[in-house]
Amino acid sequence: MEAARRAADLALDRCLHDLRSTIGADRALVVFRLQRGGDALGLAGVDVVVDGTVQVLTPVGERLADWTALYGDLLEAVGRWTGTLCPEGLVVALDRRTADIVGYPGEHCDHWDGGPDLAVEYPAPDPFAAFDEPPFPECCPGHRVHAALEALGTPVPSVRGDFDCDDDPQD
C-alpha cells in the first residue's frame, strides 16, 4: 500500500512539475476548458492566470498534442492519487509547493449543479493544521478555487451540453 501511495505521489508531482514548466510559473491558476465534440468532451482551451494577468491559450496544431497529453496525464495522476476518477472539468491553483486541484463534472452548471465533485490540496495537508486556518474563502481548496474563479469573473471549466441551464444568473 505504501509503494502505491509513493507511486501516486510521484506521478502527481511529475505532472504538476510539467504544468509549472509549461506555463513558466510557480504560482498560477490554470483552467482546462472543455467542449463537446460528438459524444465526447475534449480540451478546447486553457486559461492561465499569472499575477492577475489572464492568458487564454487555444491549443491547436502541435500545441494541441502537448496540452492534451498534459491534461490527460493530470486527470490520470489525480485519479490515482485520490483513488477515484478525476472529473473532466479541471482547475489547478498552483503555489510554490502546493496545488489546489478542483474537478467539476463534464457537464456542470455552476448555479444549478452546485459545487465541484473533487477538491483536494496536494500534498495533503496536516489534518491538525486546519484548526489555525482562517474562515471562508480560505478554508479549503474548493472555496479557494471558487473565490479565484469568481474574482476573475470566469465560469467553471465544464460545459452544460444538450440541456441549457434554466437559471439565469441575472434574474
Side-chain angles (χ1 to χ4, degrees), residues 2-62:
E2 184 62 31
R5 171 54 57 198
R6 281 194 309 268
D9 287 346
L10 183 60
L12 190 50
D13 277 339
R14 191 173 301 129
C15 286
L16 293 173
H17 172 76
D18 290 348
L19 181 59
R20 285 180 175 101
S21 296
T22 300
I23 62 173
D26 284 336
R27 290 184 177 169
L29 181 70
V30 183
V31 182
F32 292 89
R33 299 261 171 227
L34 304 175
Q35 75 178 22
R36 178 162 294 288
D39 291 336
L41 292 173
L43 187 62
V46 182
D47 297 348
V48 178
V49 183
V50 178
D51 295 327
T53 303
V54 180
Q55 181 181 11
V56 178
L57 307 175
T58 305
V60 295
E62 60 191 51

Side-chain angles (χ1 to χ4, degrees), residues 99-131:
D100 288 337
I101 303 166
V102 178
Y104 295 88
E107 296 187 315
H108 179 81
C109 172
D110 197 30
H111 39 72
W112 178 257
D113 295 338
D117 281 358
L118 174 80
V120 294
E121 183 177 340
Y122 180 82
D126 176 359
F128 297 109
F131 295 120

